[in-house]
C-alpha cells in the first residue's frame, strides 16, 4: 500500500512537470526593457530591432527610455519588478551603481539580461547573461586599421563615448594598446562627446581650434559613428577635407557613416550589430522552457568595413534601420 502511494506521488509529479513544460509558451512572456535613450543612430536601431525580435517571438515588451540618466533606469527596473515581468533587459548607461536595484530584481526572482554594455565585475552574480560585443577588440581594430593606413605615423584626436560606460573604457583601452606599439602614433587630444552627433561636433571644433585650425591633426578616432559624423561637419567647416586631410575611423556601422564613406568623407567603421535582443530572447526562452542557464556572456560579431562596400552597405542598411 505504502509502495503504491509512493508510486502515485512520483507519477503525479512527472505528469505535473510535463504539463507545466507543455504549458510554457513564449507568447506569454513579458519583458521589461530599460533602454538608455536615443543618443545615436545605433541606439535607435537597437530599440527598433528589439521590438521586431520580441514581436517575432510573440513576447510582450514593456519599454522605458531613460533619456541617458541612470536614475531613470533604476526607476524603470523597480517598476518592472513591481509589475512582476518575466525578465528585465538592461542597457546600462554606466558601469557602476547597480548593486541595490539588481539585488531587488534578483530577490524577486526576475532574471536580468544586459544588452550591449557591461556593469562592474563585483555585480556579476546579479545578472543572468550579458549580450555584448568584444569592445576592446573594436578599439584594437580601429587602431590597427589606422596604423596600416598611415604607416604608423599619426596625430590622433579621440572622441570618447559616455564617461563611465564600459564601452567607452574598453574601446579606449583597445585603441591605446595598439597605438602604444607605434612610437609615431600619438593621441594628442581625447575627450568625451557623449556618443552624440552634436557633442562630437562641438568637441571636434575645440580640438581644431587648439591645433592650428586642425592642421596638426591627421586622424580622428570616434567611439561611435554619430560623433564621427558631427566631427566631419566640424572638419568641413574648418576648411579641411575629412577622409583626406584628417582620416576618420569610428565604430557602429550605421547607414550615415556608410554614406560618408561612399562620399569619401570617412575611411573605416567597425560594425556593432544592433541585434542584441534576438540572442537575449532565445536564451531567455530556453531558460524558461527547460531551465537551461544561458552562458554568462553571449558575444556578438565584430567586423571592419571600408569604403569599397560603402554604397552597397548604405543601400542595404537604410532600409533595415
Ligand atoms: O553601447 C553601444 C554604444 O552606445 C554604441 O556604439 C553607441 O552608438 C551607443 O550610443
Amino acid at each position: 500500500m505504502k509502495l503504491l502511494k509512493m508510486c502515485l506521488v512520483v507519477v503525479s509529479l512527472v505528469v505535473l512537470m510535463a504539463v507545466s513544460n507543455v504549458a510554457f509558451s513564449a507568447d506569454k512572456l513579458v519583458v521589461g526593457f530599460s533602454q538608455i535613450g536615443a543618443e545615436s543612430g545605433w541606439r535607435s536601431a537597437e530599440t527598433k530591432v528589439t521590438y521586431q525580435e520580441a514581436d517575432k517571438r510573440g513576447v510582450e515588451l514593456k519599454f522605458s527610455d531613460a533619456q541617458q540618466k541612470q536614475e531613470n533606469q533604476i526607476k524603470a527596473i523597480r517598476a518592472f519588478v513591481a509589475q512582476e515581468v518575466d525578465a528585465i533587459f538592461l542597457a546600462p548607461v554606466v558601469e557602476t551603481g547597480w548593486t541595490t536595484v539588481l539585488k531587488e530584481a534578483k530577490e524577486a526572482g526576475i532574471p536580468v539580461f544586459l544588452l550591449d554594455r557591461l556593469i562592474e565585475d563585483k555585480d556579476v552574480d546579479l545578472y543572468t547573461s550579458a549580450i555584448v560585443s568584444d569592445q576592446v577588440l573594436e578599439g584594437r581594430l580601429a587602431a590597427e586599421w589606422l596604423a596600416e593606413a598611415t604607416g604608423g605615423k599619426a596625430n590622433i584626436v579621440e572622441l570618447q563615448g559616455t564617461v563611465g560606460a564600459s564601452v567607452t573604457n574598453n574601446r579606449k583601452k583597445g585603441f591605446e594598446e595598439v597605438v602604444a606599439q607605434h612610437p609615431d602614433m600619438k593621441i594628442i587630444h581625447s575627450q568625451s562627446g557623449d556618443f552624440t552627433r552634436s557633442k562630437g561636433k562641438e568637441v571636434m571644433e575645440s580640438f581644431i581650434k587648439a591645433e592650428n585650425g586642425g592642421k596638426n591633426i591627421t586622424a580622428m578616432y570616434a567611439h561611435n559613428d554619430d560623433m564621427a559624423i558631427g566631427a566631419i561637419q566640424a572638419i568641413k567647416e574648418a576648411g579641411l577635407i575629412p577622409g583626406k586631410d584628417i582620416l576618420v575611423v569610428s565604430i557602429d556601422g550605421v547607414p550615415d557613416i556608410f554614406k560618408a564613406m561612399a562620399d569619401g568623407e570617412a575611411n573605416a567603421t567597425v560594425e556593432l550589430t544592433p541585434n542584441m535582443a534576438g540572442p537575449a530572447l532565445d536564451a531567455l526562452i530556453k531558460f524558461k522552457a527547460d531551465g537551461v542557464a544561458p552562458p554568462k556572456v553571449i558575444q556578438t560579431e565584430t567586423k571592419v568595413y571600408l569604403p569599397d562596400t560603402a554604397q552597397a552597405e548604405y543601400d542595404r542598411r537604410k532600409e533595415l534601420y
Side-chain angles (χ1 to χ4, degrees):
M1 193 58 185
K2 223 176 170 182
L3 190 70
L4 185 70
K5 263 190 182 167
M6 269 175 71
C7 286
L8 273 174
V9 172
V10 172
V11 168
S12 15
L13 269 175
V14 169
V15 169
L16 246 173
M17 278 165 72
V19 166
S20 61
N21 238 343
V22 167
F24 174 82
S25 160
D27 65 14
K28 290 203 172 55
L29 287 178
V30 179
V31 171
F33 177 25
S34 170
Q35 175 61 295
I36 292 171
E39 74 280 7
S40 65
W42 184 90
R43 181 72 50 203
S44 304
E46 186 192 43
T47 297
K48 189 173 165 190
V49 172
T50 304
Y51 272 110
Q52 290 167 346
E53 295 295 316
D55 235 42
K56 262 192 223 165
R57 295 163 177 84
V59 169
E60 183 187 331
L61 195 71
K62 288 183 184 290
F63 182 78
S64 172
D65 178 335
Q67 315 265 317
Q68 280 178 278
K69 291 198 176 76
Q70 183 178 36
E71 72 230 46
N72 291 342
Q73 293 203 284
I74 291 173
K75 272 189 213 148
I77 294 169
R78 291 207 166 114
F80 293 147
V81 170
Q83 292 162 55
E84 299 180 355
V85 296
D86 296 297
I88 293 171
F89 287 4
L90 167 66
V93 62
V94 289
E95 269 181 304
T96 56
W98 300 103
T99 317
T100 309
V101 74
L102 291 190
K103 269 189 186 154
E104 291 167 23
K106 190 166 185 170
E107 274 155 23
I110 301 174
V112 171
F113 290 74
L114 302 184
L115 302 194
D116 73 83
R117 295 187 189 178
L118 288 163
I119 60 175
E120 58 187 336
D121 285 350
K122 77 174 176 67
D123 288 341
V124 76
D125 292 337
L126 299 179
Y127 63 87
T128 301
S129 183
I131 296 79
V132 283
S133 59
D134 183 340
Q135 300 159 351
V136 176
L137 175 69
E138 290 166 347
R140 272 194 214 121
L141 290 174
E144 276 165 12
W145 173 81
L146 195 56
E148 173 92 31
T150 61
K153 194 171 166 23
N155 277 347
I156 308 156
V157 293
E158 178 184 26
L159 291 168
Q160 296 180 35
T162 301
V163 175
S166 67
V167 68
T168 301
N169 299 337
N170 291 332
R171 286 176 181 171
K172 183 163 180 50
K173 182 171 182 262
F175 191 81
E176 282 174 348
E177 274 173 18
V178 174
V179 167
Q181 295 160 15
H182 298 272
D184 292 329
M185 280 177 86
K186 290 185 187 71
I187 301 172
I188 56 173
H189 292 279
S190 181
Q191 201 179 309
S192 171
D194 210 14
F195 283 127
T196 69
R197 233 173 245 222
S198 56
K199 289 245 180 74
K201 179 168 188 274
E202 198 180 301
V203 175
M204 189 66 194
E205 281 166 354
S206 71
F207 291 161
I208 289 172
K209 211 166 165 193
E211 291 301 330
N212 188 22
K215 291 185 192 70
N216 299 341
I217 305 169
T218 59
M220 191 268 297
Y221 163 51
H223 289 195
N224 83 344
D225 290 342
D226 275 69
M227 291 190 292
I229 289 158
I232 287 171
Q233 193 53 38
I235 296 169
K236 290 204 274 194
E237 285 172 16
L240 297 167
I241 306 172
K244 200 163 171 267
D245 295 331
I246 299 180
L247 297 182
V248 175
V249 56
S250 53
I251 299 169
D252 274 354
V254 297
D256 284 356
I257 203 73
F258 285 106
K259 178 85 181 65
M261 281 203 276
D263 293 345
E265 296 181 342
N267 307 90
T269 187
V270 183
E271 184 189 36
L272 170 70
T273 176
N275 186 8
M276 304 282 157
L281 287 165
D282 287 344
L284 169 67
I285 290 165
K286 212 163 159 35
F287 186 41
K288 292 280 180 186
D290 22 279
V292 177
K296 201 72 202 182
V297 175
I298 299 173
Q299 202 161 84
T300 61
E301 275 179 32
T302 300
K303 189 173 167 196
V304 177
Y305 283 87
L306 301 175
D308 55 337
T309 58
Q311 188 60 52
E313 287 299 330
Y314 174 67
D315 293 341
R316 189 172 71 82
R317 282 160 202 256
K318 72 174 193 287
E319 304 304 333
L320 290 175
Y321 298 175

